[in-house]
Amino acid sequence: MLYINCPHCGLRSQNEFAYGGDATVKRPELNKEISDQEWDNFVYLRKSPRGKHLELWHHISGCRQWIKVERDTSTHEIFKTYKANEAIE
Amino acid sequence: MSQDFRLDNVGMVNREKKISFKFNGKKYFGFEGDTIASALIANGVHLVGRSFKYHRPRGFFGVGVDEPYAILQLDRNNERDPNIRATEQEIFEGLEVKSVNCWPSVNFDIGAINNFLKMFFPAGFYYKTFMWPPSFWYKIYEPFIRMAAGFGEASIKHDKERYEHKYEYCDLLITGSGPSGLASAYAAAKNGARVILAEDKPRFGGSLLTSDVNIGNQTGVEWTEKIIAELKSMPNVTVKNRSQVFGYYDHNMLVMSERISDHLPKTQKYLPKQRLWYIRANEVLISSGSIERPLVFGNNDTPGVMLSSAAKEYMKVYGVLVGKKPLIFTNNDSGYETAIEFKKNGVNPIILDTRSNPSSDIITEAKNLNIEIRFSYVVVAAKGYKKVKSADIAKISDDKKELFNIENIECDCICVSGFWTPSIHLASQSGNKSKFNEKIDAFVPDKSKQKENTIGSANGIFTLEETIKDAFDKGFDVSNKITEKNNKVSVPTVVEKKSTDHDKFWCVPLPKGKSYKRFLDFQNDVAVSDIELALREGFRSIEHVKRYTTLGMATDQGKTSNLNGLQLVSDIENKVVPQVGHTTFRPPYTPVSIGAIVGREVGKHSKPTRKSPMHSWHEKNNAVFVDAGVWLRPRYYKQGNEGLFEASKREAKNVRQNVGVCDVTTLGKIDVKGPDAAEFLNRVYTNAWLKLPVGKARYGVMLREDGIVMDDGTTTRISENHYHMTTTTAQAANVLSHLEYYLQLVWPELNVNVVSTTEQWAGAAIAGPNSRKLLMKLFPNLDVSNEGLPFMGYKEADLFGVPAKIYRISFSGELAYEINVESDNGYFMWEKIMEVGKEFQIQPYGTEALSTLRIEMGHVAGSELDGRTIPYDASLEGLVSKKKDFIGKRSLNRSAFTSTDREKLVGVVPIDKTTSIPEGSYIVKDPKAKLPNPKLGHVSASCWSVEYDNPFSLAIIKDGKNMIGQKLFAMSPLKNKTIPVEIVSSHYVDPEGKRVRS
Ligand SMILES: [Zn+2]
């Protein structure tokens, strides 16, 4: 069970969180004309990298903040956690 | 039977307390502190089971977790426990165990015929035998495999025992209380660290309980007792026996199972049977010790052949002799300790040492005790079927390939020692890649992966002096990192006699003309010949060899067999063991009961139960409840002999004719606040929200980004920047997360806050033609006329002194209002509504009537918004704005979503107007068409229309719009029904929506 450092609450067990997928996906702006391909990429296509991955976690049984977690998908090592609006290094 | 093999005044069992127990129906006696194994051996019983494949007789091989043979079935306090190890289970008064995998009895087992047919059961015989013809699978192969498979029988009863979970944090977790565990725990605890010391056995001390050593001028046992007593007295230390750390998971989370009551006749009140500890440890010291390796020779699975360390422990801990004519077969000094122990207890052993000319203090001692020792000698084969009676022994050449002077000598047990295998399981589970240590012919942990270190013999350190010194150092270093303190305790002096040399020889060659089975895996009956065959057939990867032969795949997970298996593969392949590599260790290290894993989350406790503030009223008024997510909701209120059908019909009818009241507390409620709230809602919902005035509600539909409907509900503008959103009961939590996602991550520039208020409000829906009259009486000072409080209007008022919110919204399609009061006032509100409503013939209605009312109105709910439908499918396309963008809008342009033959919501009525259509039925054109019959769609919800007094269903079918008026068929293969139906509009009642606006 992962031990995730919520930037708002501190170290908490994984069972307080819900996984939210790739944090680098950016939603296309509203009212912007975009191609089917671009939209499909946003809705459906995700990379499944082995190694470092910036991902979203929702501290659902805690502060209810969405946070970003930089994690290694194969070793599960967590390098850093960020608030939703924090700049990623 | 008397305890013929019990020694006087030796061991640690409590001689004061005699305990009786039953094995295979026969009564035996042991002492408190005995395991089933030690008590049976004391009584001379060595035949306890049958092997998995050949049904060969099985005895005892070890004395702990590594036991491959003595797997029994236990009955305790009317509960059945399969697969318990006799070497671990302590006896208690009245305990009953029996053998498994034998029929009709362990003494006469018909399955043993397999032993004589063994040429037909080679490696991979499952894959070879049960292939063709395919038709044999169902009736012949599967029943045969099922009958032959597995040990023991699981109980099919509900387990009444209690199991607990515990979450714990510590600076340092130490897994095992042998010399290294004790030393490191002591050093770390003295330096201020919060320590948990876990011991799998009932007694602390590990190898110190049985080795003839001296630490700080005390015996191993004395030193253990002193250290444990001191650790127990320290507030920063938790010491646990009967506790197995079985899993090492991510981020230094370890799981331990504590057997609290398994050794007692009955679980005590307020105590669980077992407790599972989830331990988040800052640092871990793995001191899980090592397991003695078998030597491999002919018929080495005969009862009476056992590990030499086990024989020693049976003597020293339990005061039990495993035999009176022991043969010790060893390739290292460990066997000598056992021999000396026999000798001290008046039994004359013979030592066969594979080494030609070893020397050490302990060998000298054995010689001085006049123990017969034969160097360069091996056991060729054990003789005897249900128990060892003699052994063929031989001198072996220096290259270990030739046998000379084969002779038969009498013996009643053969104690083998092929050196030691470190228990690296936990280190390996933590991600530590192990490395092969040539000196000890075994794998040891390599570089730490998580915050773990392995100490003592688990790390391949086999001298006590080095173990103690290293453990004291590690305990200090690790605690110093955490506490930054410098209290160092001095390391005691250590005296031991044995050396750590061993002979690399482990497998005795077959003598010419003999084909003895030489077993590697004792539980799964994997012999040397099976591995040889697998390699001949082309299996190379050790993972494949393992699966093909089932080596190491039994309940003992190969604790005594893995390394010899690897050794054999590398010998045949002319490789060295590290080239072959080893198979992966996965948790659990030892079997864990399902009950412990589940803990207390069983039955009603598996999830929380949520009840509305009016719950007790519903109970008092004969409500029959239904689970709605975690909520309990009244399904109907039973009157007299009514069943579900009659009651819900009566309730729904009363809504249509008079007035009904329904508990709608469970609906999700979310407060949306902030200057940008309107803009936010406008992006979340498919319809327009910017112009909703204060005091008005609007129905809205929200999508996921993929265009599928996520949820629907009404949202009311309470004040300028404050909205009250409602969601369906089922989606409440998901909708909140969804909103938070967009506010926090996608549009952080919007100044909006959301919070769940579901539990803050109690809700009652009042529906029916009399509802306005009722409202007038409930709120005499409020203008509730159609002009004062129009459809989709909102008002705040006072309900007999209690502040209330009134929303004129309707799910039933009738003139209806929803009243919300603070939860604490919910019961009061409900009683007032019932009291005042009496004169208008009010009746409460449950979810079944609610369903009926919404179905015949064609209002969609969860069964239509099932995660597959877009707004068009549910006839909600009128709510999709063409002017603005919103979540999921771009997806609606996808070709699949704009296609004209999409399935769409319609109504379905049976032609005969009497046969109810089962939910889930397929709608088809031709019921006799060839299978698979092309389906047009499915029936999503069914009810008995109270308006027309006939069955009515909603369905979602292809090209629904153009199907109205068609005569089709509803088929339910499950219920074996085919019903001729007519497709009608989904708005079966009041299609113009006059009533809600009246
Ligand atoms: Zn948090």
Side-chain angles (χ1 to χ4, degrees):
Chain A
M1 205 188 302
L2 306 184
Y3 210 21
I4 302 172
N5 193 4
C6 172
H8 307 278
C9 309
L11 277 167
R12 292 290 192 277
S13 254
Q14 181 186 343
N15 46 3
E16 292 185 13
F17 295 83
Y19 183 65
D22 189 342
T24 61
V25 174
K26 216 174 145 25
R27 190 193 192 280
E29 274 170 45
L30 289 167
N31 300 308
K32 194 181 149 199
E33 286 275 323
I34 56 168
S35 67
D36 283 352
Q37 190 56 55
E38 274 177 272
W39 183 254
D40 278 3
N41 286 347
F42 158 65
V43 177
Y44 296 105
L45 295 186
R46 295 292 180 273
K47 289 208 180 82
S48 181
R50 181 192 167 91
K52 267 194 186 179
H53 188 225
L54 189 70
E55 50 200 26
L56 291 171
W57 288 79
H58 192 193
H59 198 185
I60 204 156
S61 303
C63 61
R64 293 210 62 95
Q65 295 299 304
W66 285 88
I67 61 169
K68 293 177 184 174
V69 175
E70 192 179 43
R71 185 179 70 103
D72 188 306
T73 56
S74 70
T75 65
H76 296 183
E77 183 179 352
I78 290 176
F79 306 101
K80 205 164 180 224
T81 55
Y82 302 88
K83 292 179 184 173
N85 57 2
E86 227 174 310
I88 308 296
E89 281 165 21
Chain B
M1 202 191 262
S2 60
Q3 301 184 34
D4 282 345
F5 290 80
R6 184 78 70 176
L7 295 162
D8 296 329
N9 308 319
V10 181
M12 302 169 186
V13 293
N14 179 8
R15 308 270 174 158
E16 307 289 299
K17 207 158 169 208
K18 211 168 164 182
I19 285 174
S20 76
F21 66 100
K22 275 187 185 163
F23 168 63
N24 285 339
K26 195 172 165 187
K27 195 168 180 176
Y28 295 93
F29 288 98
F31 295 114
E32 187 182 69
D34 262 327
T35 59
I36 297 169
S38 67
L40 285 175
I41 296 172
N43 286 283
V45 176
H46 280 265
L47 176 62
V48 290
R50 291 282 174 160
S51 73
F52 188 63
K53 203 156 86 182
Y54 304 129
H55 290 245
R56 287 163 71 107
R58 286 291 178 250
F60 303 99
F61 192 71
V63 69
V65 296
D66 49 316
E67 178 61 33
Y69 291 160
I71 309 292
L72 302 175
Q73 176 137 333
L74 169 78
D75 286 308
R76 171 181 175 273
N77 195 25
N78 297 320
E79 301 282 346
R80 191 194 291 163
D81 228 336
N83 293 337
I84 64 125
R85 286 178 295 278
T87 51
E88 286 195 285
Q89 174 66 49
E90 295 161 74
I91 57 168
F92 50 77
E93 193 58 44
L95 168 133
E96 286 189 36
V97 281
K98 57 177 190 256
S99 300
V100 294
N101 208 34
C102 54
W103 183 84
S105 82
V106 68
N107 256 305
F108 176 70
D109 173 23
I110 286 177
I113 190 102
N114 289 359
N115 191 26
F116 302 103
L117 302 174
K118 60 192 167 210
M119 57 282 228
F120 301 118
F121 289 85
F125 84 105
Y126 279 95
Y127 310 110
K128 290 167 179 161
T129 313
F130 302 114
M131 293 288 285
W132 303 100
S135 60
F136 269 41
W137 247 109
Y138 200 55
K139 288 218 163 95
I140 297 170
Y141 294 154
E142 195 187 309
F144 174 80
I145 292 173
R146 282 196 187 283
M147 199 179 75
F151 296 102
E153 244 179 288
S155 172
I156 51 166
K157 281 194 310 184
H158 169 72
D159 185 352
K160 288 196 278 300
E161 292 283 357
R162 205 172 88 184
Y163 301 86
E164 275 180 1
H165 285 181
K166 184 179 168 76
Y167 292 82
E168 193 56 88
Y169 296 81
C170 66
D171 293 332
L172 176 59
L173 171 66
I174 300 169
T175 67
S177 74
S180 62
L182 287 174
S184 56
Y186 190 67
K190 283 285 183 192
N191 201 28
R194 287 185 308 142
V195 175
I196 296 176
L197 174 63
E199 170 58 46
D200 143 53
K201 294 198 169 187
R203 296 170 190 83
F204 297 99
S207 64
L208 293 175
L209 295 176
T210 56
S211 21
D212 187 11
V213 294
N214 195 297
I215 307 176
N217 288 325
Q218 290 170 306
T219 66
V221 175
E222 286 163 355
W223 189 73
T224 301
E225 281 168 2
K226 190 195 94 178
I227 297 286
I228 287 290
E230 197 165 340
L231 288 174
K232 278 185 172 168
S233 71
M234 297 172 76
N236 54 329
V237 182
T238 304
V239 176
K240 283 282 161 194
N241 59 341
R242 298 191 182 94
S243 297
Q244 177 80 57
V245 177
F246 65 78
Y248 200 135
Y249 299 90
D250 289 315
H251 300 180
N252 262 32
M253 160 74 81
L254 290 95
V255 186
M256 169 172 100
S257 106
E258 184 186 5
R259 302 181 306 277
I260 293 173
S261 311
D262 292 65
H263 64 295
L264 304 171
K266 215 177 148 186
T267 305
Q268 284 168 1
K269 210 176 173 186
Y270 308 123
L271 276 182
K273 183 173 186 233
Q274 294 176 0
R275 184 180 287 139
L276 211 61
W277 294 53
Y278 292 89
I279 303 170
R280 188 78 71 176
N282 211 322
E283 293 276 348
V284 177
L285 286 177
I286 298 168
S287 53
S288 38
S290 49
I291 292 172
E292 202 163 22
R293 228 151 44 219
L295 290 169
V296 179
F297 53 90
N299 299 329
N300 57 333
D301 64 329
T302 311
V305 177
M306 62 167 60
L307 293 173
S308 106
S309 58
K312 185 176 64 170
E313 190 164 332
Y314 283 117
M315 282 185 275
K316 291 201 86 164
V317 173
Y318 301 101
V320 168
L321 286 174
V322 299
K324 293 179 182 177
K325 274 188 189 163
L327 196 57
I328 315 284
F329 180 25
T330 186
N331 71 359
N332 68 94
D333 276 4
S334 299
Y336 288 80
E337 291 187 339
T338 308
I340 291 169
E341 200 56 38
F342 271 116
K343 186 78 181 179
K344 281 186 190 162
N345 287 302
V347 173
N348 282 319
I350 300 173
I351 298 175
L352 306 184
D353 192 328
T354 66
R355 297 174 292 183
S356 54
N357 190 21
S359 72
S360 68
D361 290 353
I362 201 162
I363 296 175
T364 310
E365 184 182 347
K367 284 177 177 165
N368 291 342
L369 285 167
N370 290 321
I371 294 174
E372 183 183 345
I373 308 171
R374 300 199 195 180
F375 295 113
S376 291
Y377 251 82
V378 296
V379 175
V380 176
K383 300 279 164 162
Y385 183 55
K386 290 176 189 168
K387 179 77 199 286
V388 174
K389 290 202 176 88
S390 67
D392 281 355
I393 65 169
K395 192 159 177 81
I396 193 160
S397 62
D398 284 348
D399 65 0
K400 310 284 194 209
K401 293 204 168 119
E402 307 286 327
L403 300 169
F404 309 99
N405 311 342
I406 297 179
E407 62 179 300
N408 183 269
I409 60 168
E410 233 184 279
C411 61
D412 63 356
C413 65
I414 302 173
C415 307
V416 295
S417 177
F419 207 53
W420 297 85
T421 307
S423 295
I424 60 166
H425 305 69
L426 286 175
S428 172
Q429 288 172 21
S430 85
N432 190 314
K433 300 273 177 245
S434 51
K435 60 182 178 205
F436 193 73
N437 181 335
E438 299 273 344
K439 213 177 130 220
I440 62 167
D441 277 335
F443 287 94
V444 292
D446 202 350
K447 266 201 288 235
S448 301
K449 192 81 187 177
Q450 301 198 33
K451 288 180 173 177
E452 105 280 352
N453 277 286
T454 305
I455 52 176
S457 67
N459 196 25
I461 301 174
F462 291 112
T463 68
L464 186 62
E465 188 174 4
E466 203 187 334
T467 290
I468 294 273
K469 191 183 171 306
D470 180 55
F472 267 99
D473 288 350
K474 290 264 166 53
F476 174 80
D477 291 347
V478 162
S479 58
N480 169 267
K481 260 201 284 185
I482 298 163
T483 65
E484 293 174 4
K485 287 183 187 157
N486 278 303
N487 304 321
K488 216 166 185 168
V489 284
S490 59
V491 181
T493 56
V494 170
V495 183
E496 72 177 324
K497 294 171 196 154
K498 66 173 179 196
S499 88
T500 58
D501 293 340
H502 83 288
D503 188 356
K504 287 182 182 295
F505 175 76
W506 64 278
C507 182
V508 181
L510 287 174
K512 281 188 192 76
K514 298 286 182 190
S515 61
Y516 301 122
K517 280 263 170 202
R518 292 170 296 169
F519 285 94
L520 294 167
D521 184 313
F522 302 105
Q523 201 176 101
N524 269 356
D525 285 353
V526 182
V528 170
S529 53
D530 293 315
I531 303 282
E532 289 169 345
L533 178 65
L535 291 166
R536 275 205 305 280
E537 291 183 358
F539 290 89
R540 286 294 174 273
S541 153
I542 189 65
E543 297 282 359
H544 292 159
V545 172
K546 165 183 164 176
R547 281 160 183 80
Y548 191 59
T549 60
T550 71
L551 175 81
M553 287 174 69
T555 60
D556 65 336
Q557 290 281 290
K559 290 184 178 63
T560 50
S561 63
N562 277 338
L563 215 60
N564 282 342
L566 290 178
Q567 197 66 256
L568 178 62
V569 172
S570 39
D571 287 357
I572 298 171
E573 298 267 279
N574 277 322
K575 287 180 177 168
V576 287
V577 172
Q579 286 176 307
V580 175
H582 62 75
T583 55
T584 317
F585 293 107
R586 293 196 179 83
Y589 174 62
T590 50
V592 185
S593 65
I594 302 282
I597 292 167
V598 175
R600 299 200 65 187
E601 291 165 16
V602 187
K604 272 277 158 206
H605 299 292
S606 59
K607 53 184 173 33
T609 302
R610 299 175 80 179
K611 296 172 182 173
S612 93
M614 290 83 98
H615 187 83
S616 61
W617 190 96
H618 305 321
E619 274 179 332
K620 269 184 273 178
N621 289 274
N622 299 324
V624 175
F625 292 94
V626 62
D627 289 320
V630 294
W631 288 95
L632 275 183
R633 296 190 73 178
R635 192 172 187 193
Y636 61 98
Y637 299 82
K638 193 178 166 78
Q639 287 185 7
N641 293 326
E642 278 177 346
L644 168 70
F645 180 69
E646 296 82 22
S648 60
K649 218 163 107 176
R650 166 181 54 73
E651 291 169 9
K653 214 170 185 166
N654 191 58
V655 171
R656 293 269 184 255
Q657 287 172 356
N658 301 304
V659 60
V661 57
C662 181
D663 188 344
V664 291
T665 303
T666 61
L667 283 185
K669 305 174 200 75
I670 297 170
D671 249 17
V672 183
K673 276 187 179 176
D676 298 322
E679 173 61 26
F680 181 54
L681 294 174
N682 207 43
R683 297 178 185 186
V684 166
Y685 283 123
T686 59
N687 47 344
W689 284 80
L690 294 178
K691 289 179 182 146
L692 181 73
V694 171
K696 279 285 198 179
R698 183 164 287 174
Y699 175 70
V701 174
M702 58 178 83
L703 308 186
R704 314 190 306 217
E705 291 287 16
D706 64 1
I708 301 291
V709 177
M710 180 176 187
D711 198 41
D712 67 341
T714 57
T715 290
T716 307
R717 190 167 195 176
I718 305 288
S719 64
E720 184 63 24
N721 294 329
H722 179 193
Y723 291 79
H724 172 82
M725 174 187 280
T726 65
T727 73
T728 58
T729 303
Q731 290 295 326
N734 290 345
V735 170
L736 184 65
S737 287
H738 178 77
L739 300 181
E740 285 166 338
Y741 175 88
Y742 283 93
L743 284 174
Q744 293 171 25
L745 291 161
V746 184
W747 303 310
E749 68 278 9
L750 291 184
N751 189 353
V752 180
N753 265 307
V754 289
V755 67
S756 165
T757 56
T758 301
E759 279 158 31
Q760 277 61 42
W761 299 105
I766 297 170
N770 288 345
S771 56
R772 181 173 290 126
K773 284 182 241 164
L774 170 58
L775 212 64
M776 283 163 67
K777 289 234 165 160
L778 290 170
F779 303 99
N781 301 326
L782 187 69
D783 175 11
V784 296
S785 67
N786 209 10
E787 294 72 39
L789 182 53
F791 180 53
M792 287 294 179
Y794 165 75
K795 280 271 175 341
E796 290 171 16
D798 180 286
L799 177 76
F800 300 100
V802 164
K805 298 174 177 244
I806 306 148
Y807 307 86
R808 187 170 164 193
I809 52 179
S810 177
F811 191 49
S812 57
E814 292 297 326
L815 170 65
Y817 304 87
E818 202 178 300
I819 307 176
N820 277 7
V821 296
E822 284 169 21
S823 286
D824 286 352
N825 298 324
Y827 193 93
F828 171 81
M829 163 182 73
W830 189 270
E831 278 202 316
K832 280 289 171 206
I833 292 170
M834 288 306 298
E835 184 188 315
V836 176
K838 213 173 204 170
E839 60 173 298
F840 308 111
Q841 285 77 50
I842 194 166
Q843 283 183 23
Y845 62 102
T847 55
E848 199 68 21
L850 185 70
S851 257
T852 298
L853 296 166
R854 73 96 186 166
I855 293 168
E856 56 177 9
M857 279 290 167
H859 289 170
V860 289
S863 45
E864 289 76 35
L865 308 179
D866 61 358
R868 295 179 293 180
T869 44
I870 60 171
Y872 173 87
D873 308 347
S875 288
L876 297 168
E877 63 271 30
L879 287 162
V880 176
S881 166
K882 297 221 163 40
K883 293 187 193 125
K884 57 142 195 173
D885 200 359
F886 53 84
I887 294 168
K889 182 175 190 181
R890 182 66 180 75
S891 286
L892 298 179
N893 292 341
R894 295 172 63 217
S895 54
F897 287 177
T898 51
S899 134
T900 48
D901 71 340
R902 280 196 70 81
E903 297 182 359
K904 194 173 176 59
L905 185 72
V906 293
V908 182
V909 179
I911 307 265
D912 68 3
K913 300 271 173 114
T914 47
T915 312
S916 286
I917 304 164
E919 290 176 350
S921 297
Y922 286 168
I923 302 291
V924 299
K925 273 205 172 98
D926 174 9
K928 297 204 171 72
K930 214 179 134 227
L931 293 174
N933 196 338
K935 71 161 186 152
L936 298 172
H938 73 281
V939 172
S940 59
S942 291
C943 73
W944 189 276
S945 165
V946 289
E947 186 87 6
Y948 297 105
D949 203 24
N950 58 249
F952 175 74
S953 298
L954 292 176
I956 299 178
I957 63 170
K958 247 183 205 139
D959 199 17
K961 230 190 319 191
N962 299 316
M963 299 298 266
I964 289 172
Q966 295 232 28
K967 303 247 181 347
L968 301 169
F969 296 88
M971 285 183 79
S972 172
L974 265 182
K975 304 240 159 124
N976 205 12
K977 271 189 179 175
T978 302
I979 304 160
V981 297
E982 186 185 347
I983 305 299
V984 298
S985 160
S986 58
H987 299 292
Y988 197 41
V989 174
D990 189 21
E992 291 87 36
K994 280 184 192 152
R995 297 180 191 179
V996 290
R997 295 185 172 78
S998 61

